[in-house]
């Protein structure tokens, strides 16, 4: 019984358990984690929770341009397309469902026999003439509420904000994975082997470090071209230096300790020593810098999209949404640019809180991370 209790206490007092308990005590950091998890859930559900479930939430009604949040409009279905394939729930969640009808916003409609008499919406202060439309099969009208209003093209702003989560988080995730792969590999080699290897990698790090991140990303984007997957590579190749410098310093401090010397004397390979004995002991600092790089990657992606090098229309991106609507900041529709800007700010702030919480939980400040 004592041995079982000892095992339970040993597990409870493991470094990861201690770090988790310290992390939970940091209310702001824990709140940041919950916010990030909520964003991830919304990003995964995607089209299942968006009011506009068409691909890229790109249903346009130019008559409804720049309508205020909370407005409700009636729509008349004027035609149906029977050739549209109905997709399953998983495919719909990730790619959306193409609309099988065409509709117009109306101010009034009435059914007369097998025809519909309707007045198309052309403005709040204007009245269109009544036009006769054929009666389509099934429901011929519906009502839609735009909770956050519409953009300049009459698209649902809430739907595009939700889908923009996918762009930002996916770019942040892939870019961080690329930066971790490059940074951990080069940093471990530089710190472990030292000498000319360290000098060459350090020189390369300093060259990359001296270049402004945004200019470096733009240069890589020019070389790779505009597109979604190009952002992953461009942002990832610009954020690996911080990881490399950190890992180099940690490995240099750790390779001289007794258990590493014992591993060498037992004839273990260099790869095994680095992968199984050194890297697991510096996972805390790596997680901290990865969280900070996640926030940096989101800012770089939004900056690229604002400049036209990131996600291309009609793909919804928070940076692209600001680019389309920044001129309305001085008008009565400032929310069109403020809402995606607020989403960027809250997301980056949450990841920064997460990084600070991880730093305190793993007590990174007391570790030797000098370079």
């Amino acid at each position: 019984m004592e041995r079982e209790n000892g095992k339970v206490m040993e597990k409870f007092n493991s470094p990861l358990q201690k770090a988790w308990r310290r992390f939970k005590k940091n209310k702001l950091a824990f709140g940041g984690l919950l916010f990030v998890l909520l964003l991830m859930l919304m990003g995964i559900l995607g089209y299942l929770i968006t009011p506009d479930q068409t691909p890229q939430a790109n249903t346009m009604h130019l008559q409804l341009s720049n309508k205020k949040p909370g407005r409700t409009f009636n729509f008349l279905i004027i035609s149906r397309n029977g050739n549209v394939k109905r997709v399953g729930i998983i495919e719909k969640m990730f790619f959306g469902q193409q609309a099988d009808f065409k509709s117009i916003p109306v101010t009034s409609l009435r059914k007369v026999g097998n025809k519909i008499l309707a007045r198309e919406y052309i403005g709040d202060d204007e009245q269109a003439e009544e036009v006769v439309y054929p009666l389509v099969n099934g429901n011929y009208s519906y009502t839609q509420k735009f909770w956050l209003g519409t953009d300049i093209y009459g698209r649902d702003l809430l739907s595009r904000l939700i889908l923009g989560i996918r762009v930002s988080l996916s770019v942040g995730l892939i870019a961080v994975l690329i930066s971790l792969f490059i940074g951990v590999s080069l940093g471990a080699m530089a710190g472990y082997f030292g000498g000319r290897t360290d000098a060459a990698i350090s020189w390369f790090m300093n060259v990359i470090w001296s270049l402004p991140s945004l200019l470096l990303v733009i240069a890589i984007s020019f070389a790779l071209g505009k597109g979604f997957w190009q952002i992953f590579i461009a942002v990832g190749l610009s954020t690996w230096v911080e990881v490399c410098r950190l890992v180099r310093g940690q490995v240099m401090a750790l390779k001289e300790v007794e258990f590493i010397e014992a591993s060498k004397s037992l004839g273990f390979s260099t790869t095994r020593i680095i992968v199984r004995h050194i890297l697991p002991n510096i996972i805390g600092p790596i997680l901290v810098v990865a969280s900070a790089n996640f926030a940096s990657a989101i800012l770089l992606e939004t900056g690229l999209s604002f400049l036209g090098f990131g996600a291309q229309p009609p793909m919804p991106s928070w940076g692209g949404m600001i680019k389309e609507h920044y001129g309305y900041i001085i008008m009565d529709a400032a929310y069109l640019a403020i809402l995606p800007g607020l989403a960027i700010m809250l997301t980056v702030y949450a990841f920064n809180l997460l990084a600070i919480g991880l730093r305190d939980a793993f007590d990174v400040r007391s570790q030797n991370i000098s370079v």
Side-chain angles (χ1 to χ4, degrees), residues 15-25 30 33 361:
L16 286 179
Q17 291 285 342
K18 291 179 180 179
W20 173 243
R21 290 204 307 272
R22 285 195 294 265
F23 181 83
K24 287 195 298 183
K25 291 179 181 178
F30 193 70
L33 175 62

Side-chain angles (χ1 to χ4, degrees), residues 212-224:
S213 297
L214 186 58
L215 293 181
L216 179 61
V217 170
I218 291 176
I220 297 174
S221 299
F222 267 122
L224 299 177

Side-chain angles (χ1 to χ4, degrees), residues 72-213:
T72 301
F73 292 92
N74 294 320
F75 290 86
L76 172 67
I77 299 175
I78 58 176
S79 64
R80 290 190 180 275
N81 183 1
N83 296 324
V84 174
K85 176 185 176 182
R86 307 301 298 181
V87 300
I89 187 171
I90 300 299
E91 186 176 351
K92 180 180 180 180
M93 180 171 66
F94 288 105
F95 304 105
Q97 170 65 62
Q98 184 179 353
D100 61 353
F101 61 86
K102 182 179 179 182
S103 63
I104 58 172
V106 296
T107 56
S108 66
L109 59 88
R110 54 193 178 95
K111 180 180 177 183
V112 179
N114 61 346
K115 298 183 186 230
I116 297 292
L117 279 68
R119 298 181 188 273
E120 185 175 359
Y121 176 87
I122 57 176
D124 292 334
D125 301 323
E126 300 182 44
Q127 184 81 4
E129 294 184 358
E130 198 170 51
V131 179
V132 177
Y133 295 94
L135 181 65
V136 299
N137 296 327
N139 295 330
Y140 57 86
S141 67
Y142 65 94
T143 301
Q144 181 176 351
K145 185 170 185 177
F146 298 92
W147 295 98
L148 294 182
T150 60
D151 65 6
I152 58 175
Y153 300 107
R155 298 174 295 193
D156 182 59
L157 190 62
L158 175 59
S159 300
R160 295 184 64 80
L161 276 175
I162 293 175
L163 295 180
I165 296 174
R166 286 184 171 181
V167 175
S168 294
L169 293 188
S170 60
V171 168
L173 176 62
I174 303 300
V176 165
L177 292 178
I178 293 174
S179 67
L180 285 178
F181 177 76
I182 299 174
V184 171
S185 301
L186 293 181
M189 290 188 342
Y192 188 82
F193 294 109
R196 292 183 178 179
T197 302
D198 182 26
I201 294 177
S202 297
W203 173 84
F204 184 55
M205 280 194 300
N206 290 331
V207 171
I208 302 298
W209 187 270
S210 64
L211 300 174
S213 297

Side-chain angles (χ1 to χ4, degrees), residues 35 39 169 298 318 342-352:
F35 185 78
L39 287 180
L169 293 188
I298 292 175
W318 291 341
L342 189 62
I344 296 169
M345 184 192 73
L346 292 176
T347 304
V348 172
Y349 182 58
F351 276 104
N352 285 334

Side-chain angles (χ1 to χ4, degrees), residues 2 9 29 97 207-208 232 234 261 264 299 302 318 343 345:
E2 292 181 358
M9 290 301 297
Q97 170 65 62
V207 171
I208 302 298
F232 299 152
E261 294 294 336
K264 293 179 182 178
L299 284 177
T302 53
W318 291 341
M345 184 192 73

Side-chain angles (χ1 to χ4, degrees), residues 40-71:
M40 292 176 60
L41 178 62
M42 294 174 66
I44 293 173
L45 294 177
Y47 291 98
L48 296 182
I49 60 174
T50 56
D52 184 359
Q53 298 181 340
T54 59
Q56 311 297 355
N58 196 40
T59 302
M60 298 184 184
H61 295 287
L62 297 181
Q63 309 97 313
L64 305 182
S65 173
N66 297 347
K67 296 305 177 184
K68 300 293 184 182
R71 292 287 300 273

